[in-house]
Amino acid sequence: MKRIISLFFAVTLLLLCFPITAGAEILETDGGIQYTVERGEVVIQGFNAAGTVMDIPEKIDGKPVTRIAAQACRGDVVITEVRIPKSVITIGEYAFAECHNLTKVVIKGSVFIGRSAFRDCKALLTLKLPSNLDTIDDFAFEGCTMLGKVKIPKSLTHIGTDAFMGCEKLRFELNGNKVAKAHAKKYN
């Protein structure tokens, strides 16, 4: 009886550690953007292309692209530029972290930039933020050592803990934003 109970607990522990999920099928555009469809919306899952520019469209197969999944492109060594459309409202945790050849990020819409989303993108030089950005989460751009001037929109209400830590060349263009001004004192 003790063996059966021990076996039961072992199997239960394994199931808790490694859940079995149905998971959506990962599809791919002709441009190499990997995605899933969840509740009628497209979630970006990765990039598998010969090119180096990841230009995310607003719609794929008529469905809006609304999220970039956590760790979607983490550690990708091919991507040099990412263009994120207005339709995307969330960039997941570590989505582009450790993309060491990423030099340019253009974000066009009001988006939540997740924790460590671009962490340790050591070659990142250019970051264009939308005028209606609200939140940059903790460690979002930590370790982006080459990042230069960043224009902070007036709409920004939250910059997370150490969002720009280790960005040695960073200079903020504040545009009268008090949140950014307080943050800039810590890093500039």
Side-chain angles (χ1 to χ4, degrees):
M1 184 63 150
K2 284 184 179 181
R3 279 190 145 188
I4 292 173
I5 292 172
S6 294
L7 181 61
F8 172 76
F9 282 120
V11 169
T12 302
L13 183 61
L14 281 173
L15 289 175
L16 289 174
C17 291
F18 304 102
I20 300 170
T21 57
E25 176 185 5
I26 295 181
L27 306 168
E28 190 171 317
T29 67
D30 290 340
I33 295 175
Q34 298 170 329
Y35 67 97
T36 56
V37 178
E38 299 173 15
R39 293 181 283 289
E41 298 178 342
V42 173
V43 180
I44 302 301
Q45 300 290 342
F47 187 59
N48 182 28
T52 61
V53 177
M54 185 178 190
D55 192 3
I56 301 170
E58 289 208 20
K59 291 186 176 189
I60 295 177
D61 291 335
K63 296 172 184 68
V65 177
T66 59
R67 291 184 289 137
I68 300 172
Q71 301 193 45
C73 297
R74 185 177 189 173
D76 187 295
V77 295
V78 175
I79 301 172
T80 60
E81 182 176 340
V82 176
R83 299 177 192 146
I84 300 170
K86 291 179 181 179
S87 61
V88 172
I89 57 174
T90 303
I91 300 172
E93 293 184 356
Y94 297 93
F96 296 96
E98 302 158 5
C99 290
H100 296 298
N101 293 316
L102 182 61
T103 60
K104 184 176 183 179
V105 174
V106 178
I107 302 171
K108 297 179 183 169
S110 181
V111 63
F112 174 83
I113 300 174
R115 180 182 186 96
S116 301
F118 295 93
R119 184 180 200 160
D120 291 326
C121 291
K122 306 261 184 225
L124 185 60
L125 297 168
T126 305
L127 172 62
K128 293 189 179 182
L129 300 173
S131 61
N132 55 351
L133 180 67
D134 181 62
T135 300
I136 298 174
D137 205 2
D138 302 340
F139 314 108
F141 296 95
E142 178 190 5
C144 296
T145 55
M146 299 301 291
L147 188 58
K149 188 167 100 176
V150 174
K151 184 176 181 178
I152 301 293
K154 289 181 183 178
S155 61
L156 189 70
T157 60
H158 177 74
I159 299 176
T161 302
D162 295 330
F164 292 96
M165 186 172 77
C167 299
E168 296 138 10
K169 297 182 180 192
L170 179 64
R171 294 293 170 256
F172 289 112
E173 186 177 313
L174 301 174
N175 298 312
N177 186 304
K178 291 179 183 178
V179 172
K181 186 175 182 179
H183 197 77
K185 284 181 182 178
K186 184 175 181 179
Y187 294 101
N188 289 331

